[in-house]
Amino acid sequence: MAAKKSTRKSNVSAEDLKAYYKDMLLIRRFEEKAGQLYGMGLIGGFCHLYIGQEAVVVGLEAAAEEGDKRVTSYRDHGHMLACGMNPDGVMAELTGREGGYSRGKGGSMHMFSREKHFYGGHGIVGAQVPIGAGLAFADKYLENGRVTFAYFGDGAANQGQIYETFNMAALWKLPVVFVIENNQYAMGTAQSRSTSTPALYTRGEAFGIPGEEVDGMDVLKVKEAGEKAVAHCRNGDGPYILEIKTYRYRGHSMSDPAKYRTREEVQKMREERDCIEMVRKMLLEGKHASEEDLKAIDKEIKEVVNASAEFAKESPEPDVSELYTDIYADELPQGEAV
């Protein structure tokens, strides 16, 4: 049966709150810079920005433990930064340079880090969800207590492979949290026009998978719901679904003018429900930080992001020989897990 909506906020320390603020601000400033570089022609191909959705991944990373895994779709830059991947390597990959995580061969949608247990952004809608179940199967087989976060959007929620994965995950009680990042417009169609079931978190009921809807503009509510879901998985009770209601401020990708919604709607969300501004107010009202402290944090973050852009610009184009590298996986030592 589906659980009720998450409403109560977690108790966190002032230092934790500052950390969430910095993490979300890093994603926001990084994505703004990526948008600038795209406009300058330094980033080519597709580029899907995470602006507005920062509380989702930061809240869930706060609920994760070392060794937990994550896999997501093409709106992936925020996930990389939240799990600790280096902004320099991410930005260099966006610009197709040798210093990138995939040595400039993958671009926006194809990065990977074994060190940070980030198993990629994937361009095929919904394709990452079965992969997430596979990662969770490996953890269950190895009995290592790890959990996998498999992220997908409201548009992908209607894909058939999602339900095949739900069935197997429930059958084998896999430790996987299915995270539906519901930004309400998929590729450009409102959920009300594309989906018969308004509550996506109930999609697992037929398989006996519990779920809940979460306010994705509130990082503390996301963290609390994430902790509940992770505990369920680590306890051996199988998968869990979190439908996190969020909102992207930009179009589906940089080439999307987003004419399917009004500017007034976007502005209202920015002014009344912005996830970063919400934490900023909590820090100020709780006297955990001053205006000067927050300005200093913003300055620090901007310096990190600007440095990543300079690193990307200075990193050389990949050598032609890179066409022949990473074709086959290196053989792992016996007993080592990916």
Side-chain angles (χ1 to χ4, degrees), residues 202-333:
T202 65
R203 290 288 181 90
E205 285 186 342
F207 308 97
I209 304 176
E212 62 183 291
E213 179 184 298
V214 188
D215 179 0
M217 305 307 281
D218 186 326
V219 69
L220 300 187
K221 287 181 179 178
V222 175
K223 174 180 180 289
E224 181 188 28
E227 289 171 340
K228 178 180 177 181
V230 165
H232 176 91
C233 292
R234 287 201 215 284
N235 195 44
D237 295 327
Y240 201 94
I241 296 173
L242 293 178
E243 178 190 358
I244 305 187
K245 299 293 283 290
T246 184
Y247 195 88
R248 54 174 165 79
Y249 296 160
R250 301 289 184 94
H252 174 69
S253 70
M254 287 297 294
S255 59
D256 173 19
K259 292 182 178 179
Y260 41 81
R261 60 184 183 183
T262 64
R263 291 183 179 180
E264 290 75 19
E265 177 184 308
V266 179
Q267 189 61 28
K268 181 178 174 64
M269 183 64 76
R270 278 184 176 272
E271 292 175 355
E272 299 179 6
R273 299 281 294 129
D274 185 73
C275 57
I276 298 176
E277 184 61 25
M278 187 181 299
V279 176
R280 183 178 182 278
K281 286 181 179 178
M282 292 175 67
L283 288 169
L284 291 172
E285 291 173 2
K287 301 190 184 305
H288 305 308
S290 65
E291 288 280 5
E292 290 70 27
D293 294 332
L294 299 183
K295 286 179 181 178
I297 289 173
D298 197 14
K299 182 174 182 291
E300 176 190 344
I301 294 296
K302 285 178 178 176
E303 288 173 353
V304 170
V305 170
N306 288 335
S308 74
E310 289 305 311
F311 175 83
K313 291 175 186 177
E314 293 171 4
S315 184
E317 299 279 348
D319 187 81
V320 174
S321 62
E322 279 294 342
L323 288 171
Y324 306 100
T325 64
D326 302 318
I327 297 173
Y328 301 104
D330 293 333
E331 194 171 320
L332 293 173

Side-chain angles (χ1 to χ4, degrees), residues 16-17 32 42 54 65 108 138 218 224 227 240 263 309 318 326:
D16 284 341
L17 207 56
E32 289 170 348
L42 295 174
E54 296 89 351
E65 293 182 1
S108 175
D218 186 326
E224 181 188 28
E227 289 171 340
Y240 201 94
R263 291 183 179 180
D326 302 318

Side-chain angles (χ1 to χ4, degrees), residues 11-329:
N11 292 320
V12 296
S13 69
E15 289 307 307
D16 284 341
L17 207 56
K18 285 181 185 177
Y20 305 154
Y21 179 78
K22 290 181 70 172
D23 289 345
M24 289 192 292
L25 194 60
L26 172 62
I27 296 171
R28 177 75 55 90
R29 296 291 180 250
F30 183 94
E31 294 289 67
E32 289 170 348
K33 179 62 72 174
Q36 291 174 12
L37 296 184
Y38 189 94
M40 295 166 61
L42 295 174
I43 296 176
F46 292 103
C47 185
H48 305 79
L49 302 181
Y50 203 65
I51 296 173
Q53 299 184 208
E54 296 89 351
V56 178
V57 71
V58 170
L60 290 182
E61 285 294 336
E65 293 182 1
E66 180 62 36
D68 288 343
K69 300 176 175 66
R70 63 280 296 158
V71 63
T72 188
S73 65
Y74 39 74
R75 198 178 310 280
D76 52 2
H77 315 153
H79 299 74
M80 299 172 198
L81 297 173
C83 74
M85 290 170 67
N86 191 320
D88 290 357
V90 178
M91 193 68 86
E93 189 58 41
L94 292 181
T95 54
R97 304 302 178 96
E98 190 178 80
Y101 268 96
S102 298
R103 299 189 183 94
K105 297 183 291 186
S108 175
M109 296 192 285
H110 300 286
M111 281 182 252
F112 181 98
S113 174
R114 183 187 293 175
E115 176 194 3
K116 298 298 181 181
H117 304 287
F118 179 78
Y119 289 86
H122 295 262
I124 303 301
V125 176
Q128 73 280 7
V129 181
I131 294 172
L135 292 168
F137 179 84
D139 289 331
K140 183 178 177 68
Y141 181 82
L142 294 168
E143 299 181 342
N144 59 17
R146 301 296 100 213
V147 169
T148 294
F149 295 86
Y151 292 85
F152 57 103
D154 47 302
N158 295 321
Q159 292 284 318
Q161 60 193 318
I162 305 295
Y163 298 96
E164 295 178 59
T165 304
F166 283 175
N167 181 60
M168 287 190 290
L171 186 65
W172 297 333
K173 289 190 177 297
L174 301 182
V176 55
V177 181
F178 295 111
V179 183
I180 307 172
E181 294 194 73
N182 186 355
N183 61 30
Q184 304 171 52
Y185 284 101
M187 188 174 172
T189 303
Q191 183 186 336
S192 60
R193 297 182 60 223
S194 65
T195 305
S196 62
T197 309
L200 297 178
Y201 69 94
T202 65
R203 290 288 181 90
E205 285 186 342
F207 308 97
I209 304 176
E212 62 183 291
E213 179 184 298
V214 188
D215 179 0
M217 305 307 281
D218 186 326
V219 69
L220 300 187
K221 287 181 179 178
V222 175
K223 174 180 180 289
E224 181 188 28
E227 289 171 340
K228 178 180 177 181
V230 165
H232 176 91
C233 292
R234 287 201 215 284
N235 195 44
D237 295 327
Y240 201 94
I241 296 173
L242 293 178
E243 178 190 358
I244 305 187
K245 299 293 283 290
T246 184
Y247 195 88
R248 54 174 165 79
Y249 296 160
R250 301 289 184 94
H252 174 69
S253 70
M254 287 297 294
S255 59
D256 173 19
K259 292 182 178 179
Y260 41 81
R261 60 184 183 183
T262 64
R263 291 183 179 180
E264 290 75 19
E265 177 184 308
V266 179
Q267 189 61 28
K268 181 178 174 64
M269 183 64 76
R270 278 184 176 272
E271 292 175 355
E272 299 179 6
R273 299 281 294 129
D274 185 73
C275 57
I276 298 176
E277 184 61 25
M278 187 181 299
V279 176
R280 183 178 182 278
K281 286 181 179 178
M282 292 175 67
L283 288 169
L284 291 172
E285 291 173 2
K287 301 190 184 305
H288 305 308
S290 65
E291 288 280 5
E292 290 70 27
D293 294 332
L294 299 183
K295 286 179 181 178
I297 289 173
D298 197 14
K299 182 174 182 291
E300 176 190 344
I301 294 296
K302 285 178 178 176
E303 288 173 353
V304 170
V305 170
N306 288 335
S308 74
E310 289 305 311
F311 175 83
K313 291 175 186 177
E314 293 171 4
S315 184
E317 299 279 348
D319 187 81
V320 174
S321 62
E322 279 294 342
L323 288 171
Y324 306 100
T325 64
D326 302 318
I327 297 173
Y328 301 104

